[in-house]
Amino acid sequence: MTEVPEKDELEQLRERLMVTPKLVWDQVDAAEREAILAYAERYKAFLDTAKTEREAVQEIERQARAAGFADLRANEPGDRCFYNYKGKVIALVVRGRRPLTDGIRMVAAHIDSPRLDLKQYPLYEDTDMVFLKTHYYGGIKKYQWLARPLAIHGVVLKADGSRVELRVGEDPRDPVFTVLDLLPHLARKTQMEKKVSEAFEGEKLNVLVGALPLGNKDTKERFKLYLLKFLEDTYGIREEDLVSAELEIVPAGPARDLGWDRSLVAAYGQDDRSCVYPALESILQIDQPEHTCMALFYDKEEVGSDGNTSAKSCLLEEIVELLLERAGEPPQARRRVLMASRAISGDVNGALDPDYPEVHEKRNAAKLGYGVCLTKFTGHGGKYTANDANAEYLAWLRKIFNEAGVVWQAAHLGKVDEGGGGTIAKYLAVHGIEIIDSGPPVLSMHSPFEVASKADLYMTFKAFRTFFTAPGQ
Ligand code: MN
Ligand code: MN
């Protein structure tokens, strides 16, 4: 018969053997608490400046140049460089002391977010009002886009190659736009009695942009004509110019503190700027690291990473070849570099929502306030379309995060049969890179008003910063 241990011994045993979730606020001292709050201010400023992928690339390049990064494509010399491709995807590189064939430390995140894109002939008038036709981009719940202030961001390319940049609806003096919703009094059959997936149609996500006429009642399409005259006077554009435009409808207004205690951030686009910003801020701070460090900011993740600015494109291979060329090594070493590399796919996880516990498996769900998530695999069903990070790699990440005081949690998105999702991780994994998904838990994900904890946002930053420079192969 074995001896029954004393109570404090049992407590010690429990501490040694069991996983205890760690609330970030319990783990940090006063100084780190201040750092968490200060970080959130810088993060919110980035959210407001970089609402679209093009704006994100501009802002990332601006900050990189200010921190002494040189243009790799223009062959400007320097150990800190950036590569901007088509103004929609950008990479930042800091050359390390070790050879490239020892591998690169990469953090990759995406700068596109769900939104409404304009169609190519968007402008029309109906019932003496002027609207824009849209086609939604990424996974949205359509009803979330009705009856709320919206802004228009983007570019119009004229046939002569000149470009007009638009950003309307963010300045408090700007007008805003909206998608109309039906009054409840008349919505019974059209909306209330239908399934949500049928009650809101993509073709009805039309944006109201004006209601003033030009000329008199005999003038044809005089409300649309007024708007076109306004667009010509203001921007020098005509209707055909909208064919070669990328105008994005996004929620209007800045990122906000949420809650009386200001512990949370609520904003559009935290998927995935909550991972973009910490990757940016941490790589800008790195100086002469051991391994070469790279932050990749990809476009088109929300539509499956297709296209020449996505994570499926050959961009990464091109950058590695350029770096090899600079180092006087053959471009064929590219594969060896990538196979020796380690990466974090910076992306958010769905936080446990107390109103919908039925979709989560609470033992493995991401919990708000419990730190940056390590998501071993994504995908759906029997792990289909998943990147499944290697256990050896997770062991190393646990070690470096624990040593650096990064508060982290392992997290799995939803119940096994509930649904699922993917990230860019698998598109980098095919190169042989060790890669795992990691980022903060987010509530109301993919909505116009996503919610994250300042504590988790900061721990994501701390995790990325630690990862770039931690010792190890
Ligand atoms: Mn994402
Ligand atoms: Mn997403």
Side-chain angles (χ1 to χ4, degrees), residues 29-41:
D29 58 17
E32 197 158 38
R33 205 182 171 93
E34 283 307 306
I36 289 172
L37 301 178
Y39 174 80
E41 296 306 307

Side-chain angles (χ1 to χ4, degrees), residues 144-150 176-179 251-252 448-449:
Q144 293 179 336
W145 290 75
L146 311 180
R148 60 175 304 132
L150 299 169
V176 293
F177 311 93
T178 199
V179 177
F449 207 56

